[in-house]
């Protein structure tokens, strides 16, 4: 599903050049539930953004499926983000003046799906998240956990291949965090690849594979004892 | 484009900061408002001038005899001579491009009476053709005809003002007699001038009789004071004028180079100057108006830049879920065009409204220099088209900026 080889990325600020990803080799198969851990500043978010085509990389190769993601037009990138990838952010990133349903329906808008149909689909996903009663509410009227579930519904609404989540539980209390994590697990069980960036140990332990990033390099990785139901 | 959500977004964004939106809109509103006012005023002035001219044939000229200033063919210089009625036939034959040719005489102000009512009025001798060159409104009866000319009938057509002075209000002047210099003339028609102001007053105080009658009654021999000539379509008055002058000079033994011997005036030339003036006024109006409008557009563009800065994160999120740059650019341009057109429309509405109001107020009054100010629908629509284009241009730069950064940088931008 995702294949990175010798991937490098630097940030240039003024005259300084900060080498953040220093040759990442990584393969993530479809249907995996992976977490990326590491200390703050180790390059986790950068890696996730590159995978999500929200950011570019300098050197190496990145294949998404069979497609080399390199030098794409903005239009093409937008298409990949829309069709293949769902994003979940730490700060939810909902659009403040759209209600929950409209937020969830937004990706479908960019697929030119008529309003009635996309709202209907959005409501289905909100229902799955147990938020049907909150469909007409603005983000400011929702709790953190509810916001994150709206964001997850939005990420899922286009039926993507991959869900990318950057510290999805970072702004939530422990109880809510665990609820969100079990949501991800359910999503994963439906066959969607899920990659979660986190620096919380108990969160990463709720994934099947942990990738440990240190200073822009994959230092180690291991599978967890998480029970996987292969029925 | 007509998606409800898109519009809701437009409304939301513009109503979020109402004062700012209003101030921006006001720039556009004011620009269009001023443009409409100025255009209305300039057509008002132009119409006022045109009305003063009445229905006067624009392609016409006048020619009259003056004193010679050069000796020629045995005649000394300083000779007085007159045009005559037979010159008329000669000109008509030799210049086929003439449409109307009318000789004219002016006996100046003369006392006219009827019973105990008296007054001084301008006496003119005319041919029927005069009513084609400087048409007047025949209020009652008729204008002169060729039978009047042939038979030297003692008939007159009197101006409206003359009618008021010489007859009772409820009296029908037609068929009645008035006395000019002890000679009785029958009134066959009453006319009203189409000119405004002094010119109109002067005409309304005139009494017109057949030229031949005037010549006979007042012992003027065969004299004609001046000729009014109109050119046929496609011929310039200047051409007719030049040709007629040289023919008249030859007929009266005047040196061909004696410029002072023949007086002339050309309405066409005057009209051209007048048109040129208004063209100039119009150009200035458009430059000033569009300049004001342009300032408004810069304002919109600036505001859109601020809006883009504030919404950078939102655009980043939209792009993360699949918005193409053009979707975002389109949205911003729509907002910009919406703001511009709404504001412009209001400006248009008030501008044209004020122009129409002024038109209504002054239409009952006799203001010579200003008449029927208006803004044509065509211009209004053109202005709206300009606004749409302007709104688009005002939106493009900010929109381009909005999508120029990487989505992740947009999402992370902290501006709130
Ligand atoms: N847009 C940027 N410009 C410059 N430096 C950046 C930018 N984004 C991240 N960095 C730097 O790159 C390093 C890695 O950042 P990041 O990938 O966010 O780490 P993590 O998510 O693991 O905390 C950090 O030192 C951070 O300061
Ligand atoms: Mg991070």
């Amino acid at each position: 599903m995702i294949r990175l080889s010798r991937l490098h990325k630097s940030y240039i600020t003024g005259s300084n050049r900060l080498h953040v990803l220093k040759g990442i080799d990584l393969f993530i198969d479809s249907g995996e539930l992976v977490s990326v851990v590491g200390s703050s500043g180790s390059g986790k978010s950068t890696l996730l953004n590159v995978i999500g085509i929200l950011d570019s990389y300098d050197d190496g190769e990145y294949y998404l499926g069979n497609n080399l993601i390199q030098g794409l037009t903005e239009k093409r990138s937008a298409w990949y983000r829309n069709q293949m990838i769902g994003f979940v952010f730490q700060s939810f990133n909902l659009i403040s003046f759209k209600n929950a349903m409209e937020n969830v329906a937004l990706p479908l808008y960019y697929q030119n799906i008529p309003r009635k149909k996309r709202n209907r689909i959005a409501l289905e996903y909100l229902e799955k998240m147990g938020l049907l009663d909150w469909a007409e509410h603005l983000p400011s009227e929702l709790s953190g956990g509810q916001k994150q579930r709206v964001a997850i519904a939005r990420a899922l609404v286009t039926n993507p291949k991959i869900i990318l989540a950057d510290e999805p539980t970072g702004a939530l209390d422990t109880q809510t965090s665990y609820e969100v994590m079990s949501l991800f697990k359910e999503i994963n069980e439906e066959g969607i690849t899920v990659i979660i960036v986190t620096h919380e140990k108990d969160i990463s332990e709720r994934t099947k594979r942990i990738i440990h990033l240190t200073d822009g390099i994959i230092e180690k990785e291991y599978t967890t004892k998480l029970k996987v139901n292969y029925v | 484009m007509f998606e409800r959500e898109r519009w809701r977004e437009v409304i939301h964004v513009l109503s979020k900061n109402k004062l700012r939106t209003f101030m921006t809109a006001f720039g556009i509103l004011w620009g269009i408002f001023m443009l409409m006012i100025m255009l209305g005023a300039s057509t008002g002035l132009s119409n006022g001038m045109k009305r003063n001219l009445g229905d006067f044939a624009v392609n016409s000229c006048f020619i009259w005899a003056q004193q010679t200033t050069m000796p020629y063919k045995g005649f000394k210089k300083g000779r007085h001579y007159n045009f005559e009625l037979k010159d008329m036939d000669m000109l008509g034959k030799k210049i086929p491009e003439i449409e109307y040719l009318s000789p004219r005489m002016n006996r100046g102000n003369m006392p006219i009476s009827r019973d105990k009512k008296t007054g001084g009025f301008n006496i003119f001798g005319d041919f029927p053709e005069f009513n084609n060159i400087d048409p007047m409104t025949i209020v009652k009866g008729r204008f002169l005809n060729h039978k009047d000319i042939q038979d030297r009938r003692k008939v007159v057509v009197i101006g409206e003002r003359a009618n008021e002075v010489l007859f009772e209000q409820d009296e029908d002047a037609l068929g009645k007699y008035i006395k000019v210099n002890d000679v009785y003339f029958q009134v066959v028609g009453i006319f009203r001038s189409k000119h405004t102001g002094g010119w109109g007053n002067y005409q309304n105080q005139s009494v017109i009789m057949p030229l031949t009658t005037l010549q006979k009654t007042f012992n003027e021999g065969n004299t004609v004071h001046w000729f009014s000539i109109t050119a046929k379509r496609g011929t310039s008055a200047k051409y007719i004028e030049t040709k007629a002058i040289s023919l008249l000079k030859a007929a009266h033994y005047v040196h061909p180079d004696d410029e002072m011997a023949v007086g002339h005036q050309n309405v066409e030339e005057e009209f051209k100057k007048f048109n040129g003036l208004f063209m100039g006024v119009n150009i200035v109006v458009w430059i000033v108006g569009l300049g004001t409008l342009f300032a408004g557009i810069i304002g919109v563009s600036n505001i859109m830049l601020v809006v883009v800065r504030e919404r950078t994160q939102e655009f980043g999120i939209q792009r993360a879920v699949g918005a193409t740059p053009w979707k975002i650019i389109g949205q911003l341009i729509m907002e910009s065009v919406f703001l511009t057109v709404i504001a412009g429309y209001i400006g248009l509405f008030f501008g044209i409204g004020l122009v129409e109001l002024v038109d209504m107020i002054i239409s009952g009054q006799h203001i010579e220099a200003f008449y029927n100010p208006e803004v044509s629908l065509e211009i209004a629509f053109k202005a709206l088209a300009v606004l749409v284009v302007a709104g688009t241009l005002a939106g493009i730069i900010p929109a381009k900026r909005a999508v120029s950064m990487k989505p992740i940088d947009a999402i992370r931008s902290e501006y709130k």
Side-chain angles (χ1 to χ4, degrees):
Chain A
M1 185 86 270
I2 289 167
R3 189 154 52 82
L4 308 176
S5 51
R6 294 182 307 284
L7 191 123
H8 288 265
K9 171 155 185 83
S10 306
Y11 288 113
I12 294 164
T13 39
S15 56
N16 295 328
R17 191 155 175 277
L18 185 65
H19 200 170
V20 178
L21 300 180
K22 301 171 177 169
I24 303 281
D25 287 295
L26 178 64
F27 177 76
I28 297 173
D29 208 352
S30 64
E32 281 199 70
L33 176 54
V34 184
S35 60
V36 179
V37 299
S39 57
S40 177
S42 56
K44 306 181 295 291
S45 296
T46 306
L47 178 64
L48 200 73
N49 294 333
V50 169
I51 293 173
I53 327 179
L54 291 177
D55 208 342
S56 57
Y57 59 96
D58 303 327
D59 203 14
E61 280 173 346
Y62 165 29
Y63 281 92
L64 177 60
N66 293 319
N67 310 296
L68 177 64
I69 304 299
Q70 204 168 60
L72 299 181
T73 62
E74 192 38 52
K75 194 179 167 194
R76 190 88 190 125
S77 307
W79 184 85
Y80 277 120
R81 293 195 284 261
N82 187 251
Q83 304 279 331
M84 305 272 283
I85 300 163
F87 265 102
V88 179
F89 301 91
Q90 176 177 4
S91 53
F92 323 122
N93 283 340
L94 300 173
I95 289 174
S96 60
F97 57 87
K98 290 184 189 290
N99 66 31
M101 176 184 70
E102 289 163 346
N103 263 291
V104 174
L106 191 62
L108 301 175
Y109 172 62
Y110 300 118
Q111 295 181 359
N112 295 319
I113 291 173
R115 192 171 55 88
K116 281 221 174 74
K117 189 175 172 196
R118 55 174 201 262
N119 285 347
R120 203 191 63 227
I121 299 172
L123 288 176
E124 277 171 29
Y125 278 87
L126 281 175
E127 192 174 13
K128 277 191 198 170
M129 298 292 142
L131 287 173
L132 198 55
D133 294 341
W134 299 86
E136 305 285 334
H137 288 248
L138 291 175
S140 55
E141 298 160 351
L142 303 176
S143 71
Q146 287 171 325
K147 280 185 212 173
Q148 200 56 302
R149 278 184 288 162
V150 172
I152 293 169
R154 181 179 66 186
L156 288 172
V157 79
T158 57
N159 202 14
K161 301 274 184 294
I162 307 160
I163 294 285
L164 302 176
D166 193 350
E167 312 261 9
T169 59
L172 306 176
D173 60 54
T174 314
Q175 182 56 35
T176 320
S177 296
Y178 291 165
E179 281 168 25
V180 166
M181 282 315 291
S182 54
L183 258 174
F184 280 124
K185 197 168 161 247
E186 279 171 36
I187 292 162
N188 176 249
E189 276 160 9
E190 286 169 26
I192 297 173
T193 312
V194 178
I195 306 174
I196 297 166
V197 161
T198 180
H199 61 265
E200 294 166 79
K201 197 164 181 291
D202 53 339
I203 294 300
S204 65
E205 276 166 357
R206 284 158 199 265
T207 65
K208 298 171 197 166
R209 177 183 170 196
I210 299 174
I211 295 163
H212 205 108
L213 212 59
T214 308
D215 199 16
I217 290 184
I218 296 177
E219 190 189 39
K220 55 190 172 188
E221 62 169 275
Y222 38 88
T223 45
T224 60
K225 287 178 233 109
L226 184 74
K227 287 229 168 57
V228 185
N229 195 351
Y230 288 111
V231 180
Chain B
M1 171 113 198
F2 298 105
E3 284 255 5
R4 198 170 82 181
E5 248 171 272
R6 275 200 146 189
W7 285 111
R8 251 182 63 185
E9 208 167 315
V10 172
I11 304 289
H12 168 84
V13 168
L14 296 180
S15 59
K16 213 167 97 179
N17 196 332
K18 289 194 184 67
L19 180 67
R20 189 179 68 193
T21 301
F22 173 78
M23 293 309 279
T24 316
F26 193 76
I28 294 280
L29 193 153
W30 188 247
I32 282 284
F33 180 78
M34 288 309 287
L35 182 63
M36 292 302 122
I37 297 289
M38 288 192 296
L39 281 174
S42 104
T43 31
L45 277 175
S46 159
N47 284 343
M49 289 263 210
K50 278 186 187 146
R51 190 170 69 145
N52 187 258
L53 219 53
D55 284 348
F56 208 105
V58 171
N59 54 340
S60 55
C61 61
F62 312 96
I63 304 172
W64 61 93
Q66 296 181 157
Q67 217 175 342
T68 64
T69 59
M70 292 166 89
Y72 190 58
K73 292 204 170 161
F75 290 104
K76 279 191 212 154
K77 71 174 191 178
R79 173 172 63 104
H80 290 276
Y81 71 103
N82 289 314
F83 291 153
E84 290 168 0
L85 215 45
K86 66 175 191 237
D87 292 328
M88 184 180 160
D89 299 328
M90 184 271 292
L91 290 175
K93 270 189 204 113
K94 293 199 174 162
I95 313 177
E97 294 90 349
I98 287 179
E99 170 99 75
Y100 297 112
L101 172 58
S102 183
R104 225 181 173 203
M105 294 188 78
N106 180 3
R107 280 286 304 188
N109 198 287
M110 289 179 104
I112 297 181
S113 60
R114 190 218 157 222
D115 293 345
K116 291 199 171 57
K117 292 173 183 289
T118 56
F121 300 99
N122 314 300
I123 305 290
F124 285 96
D126 268 312
F127 263 52
E129 282 78 3
F130 186 71
N131 204 27
N132 294 111
I133 295 173
D134 185 10
M136 43 209 131
T137 308
I138 302 300
V139 184
K140 237 182 196 176
R142 63 174 177 86
F143 194 65
L144 303 175
N145 61 31
H146 283 282
K147 205 91 177 95
D148 299 332
I149 301 286
Q150 240 170 41
D151 301 348
R152 297 170 187 251
R153 284 178 180 163
K154 290 203 174 63
V155 294
V156 283
V157 185
I158 62 174
E160 207 171 41
R161 179 80 190 125
N163 179 47
E164 277 168 28
V165 173
L166 296 172
F167 294 93
E168 297 293 342
Q169 215 173 9
D170 52 358
E171 207 179 357
D172 185 1
L174 290 190
K176 305 258 163 64
Y177 288 86
I178 59 172
K179 199 164 79 174
V180 185
N181 245 13
D182 289 334
V183 184
Y184 283 92
F185 291 83
Q186 189 179 31
V187 177
V188 294
I190 300 165
F191 69 87
R192 183 189 309 133
S193 173
K194 286 190 179 178
H195 300 285
T196 55
W199 193 350
N201 288 341
Y202 179 77
Q203 280 197 334
N204 285 331
Q205 288 178 39
S206 300
V207 167
I208 296 174
M209 62 178 66
L211 185 112
T212 48
T213 313
L214 187 146
Q215 285 177 332
K216 189 175 144 209
T217 315
F218 301 102
N219 290 320
E220 291 277 5
N222 208 11
T223 302
V224 166
H225 286 158
W226 73 88
F227 289 109
S228 307
I229 313 177
T230 314
K232 278 189 179 148
R233 272 182 78 103
T235 311
S236 80
K238 186 83 200 148
Y239 170 82
I240 299 274
E241 185 183 55
T242 313
K243 209 162 168 187
I245 288 172
S246 62
L247 285 169
L248 287 167
K249 277 181 182 168
H252 293 275
Y253 309 106
V254 175
H255 194 289
D257 298 334
D258 193 346
E259 298 284 343
M260 297 305 292
V262 181
H264 56 92
Q265 195 171 14
N266 189 325
V267 180
E268 193 175 66
E269 302 283 299
E270 299 295 314
F271 201 72
K272 268 187 194 155
K273 274 185 221 159
F274 161 80
N275 271 349
L277 175 72
F278 274 97
M279 186 122 99
V281 170
N282 255 335
I283 290 171
V284 170
V285 163
W286 277 102
I287 290 174
V288 174
L290 289 181
T292 318
L293 193 58
F294 188 70
I297 291 159
I298 298 286
V300 171
S301 196
N302 267 330
I303 279 314
M304 292 310 289
L305 273 175
V306 174
V307 165
V308 161
R309 272 230 308 275
E310 286 178 357
R311 296 172 67 195
T312 304
Q313 192 180 38
E314 178 198 325
F315 294 144
I317 297 166
Q318 290 183 358
R319 288 170 70 191
V321 301
T324 57
W326 275 107
K327 274 270 186 194
I328 287 163
I329 291 172
Q331 174 74 26
L332 277 168
I333 287 177
M334 204 166 95
E335 280 161 26
S336 167
V337 168
F338 180 76
L339 184 62
T340 315
V341 168
I342 292 288
Y345 191 82
I346 296 172
L348 212 61
F349 181 83
F350 282 109
I352 293 178
L354 186 63
V355 168
E356 293 290 315
L357 188 73
V358 169
D359 185 26
M360 228 166 70
I361 291 169
I362 67 166
S363 68
Q365 299 165 11
H366 288 285
I367 300 169
E368 192 179 340
F370 205 79
Y371 175 67
N372 197 14
E374 58 176 5
V375 179
S376 71
L377 214 60
E378 190 198 326
I379 297 237
F381 277 121
K382 272 187 192 158
L384 262 178
V386 166
L387 284 175
V388 172
V389 174
T392 309
L393 292 179
I396 273 181
I397 297 171
K400 286 271 182 196
R401 182 173 290 191
V403 295
S404 65
M405 60 172 75
K406 282 188 284 193
I408 190 62
D409 295 334
I411 292 171
R412 284 193 176 151
S413 71
E414 286 302 311
Y415 195 98
K416 285 277 178 214

